[in-house]
Amino acid sequence: MQHWFKLHPGILEWHERINDQLQRTRQVTNKFGFRRFYFDRIESILPEAIAWIGQSTTACITNAALIAVEDQKELVRDLDIQFLLQVHDELVFQYPIQYREEVLRRIHPLIHITVPYEDPLIIPWGLKTSTKSWGDCEKRNWPIASQH
């Protein structure tokens, strides 16, 4: 482990900052401002706290992406987009097959949410689709946005 941290000193520094924050405040915060408080013994909580930061950030991005699509009422209504499921870092939608390329072109820019780090981060979304069922989904590329 020490060898790995030697190769990646920024991660060790981040762990030390999080540990210091836990010692002082018994809490951690993600970049969207959500906090988690710890009432257990602080000495052993660092791995859980670090995991929570990443997991909660992913959940915030996923929820913000869903809201961004649903807020486009005209898009949702006109193309009959129906939200079905959210599973941690996935969103499942359905829509009439004849609108597939248009739906994907239109939602792609909506779902890329910026994580407000000092050097902003946008995590790209993968795409899987199927004309049969959720279990038959296969990876594919996002359609290229049309130029207006």
Side-chain angles (χ1 to χ4, degrees), residues 28-66:
V28 291
T29 307
N30 71 20
K31 281 298 181 179
F32 291 103
F34 290 94
R35 295 181 190 160
R36 179 165 180 193
F37 292 87
Y38 293 91
F39 300 102
D40 297 335
R41 293 180 182 262
I42 294 299
E43 301 80 39
S44 60
I45 212 76
L46 182 63
E48 183 180 336
I50 286 172
W52 178 85
I53 294 169
Q55 292 167 352
S56 66
T57 299
T58 299
C60 288
I61 291 167
T62 305
N63 289 334
L66 170 62

Side-chain angles (χ1 to χ4, degrees), residues 3 10 20 29 36 39-40 50 54 57 66 71 83 99-100 102 107-108 113 119 123-124 129 131 133 135 143:
H3 178 69
D20 180 61
T29 307
R36 179 165 180 193
F39 300 102
D40 297 335
I50 286 172
T57 299
L66 170 62
D71 278 352
F83 169 68
Y99 300 139
R100 177 176 46 198
E102 181 65 16
I107 69 170
H108 185 256
I113 308 301
D119 180 10
I123 300 170
T129 62
T131 57
S133 73

Side-chain angles (χ1 to χ4, degrees), residues 31 113-123:
K31 281 298 181 179
I113 308 301
T114 301
V115 183
Y117 288 112
E118 191 173 303
D119 180 10
L121 172 66
I122 299 175
I123 300 170

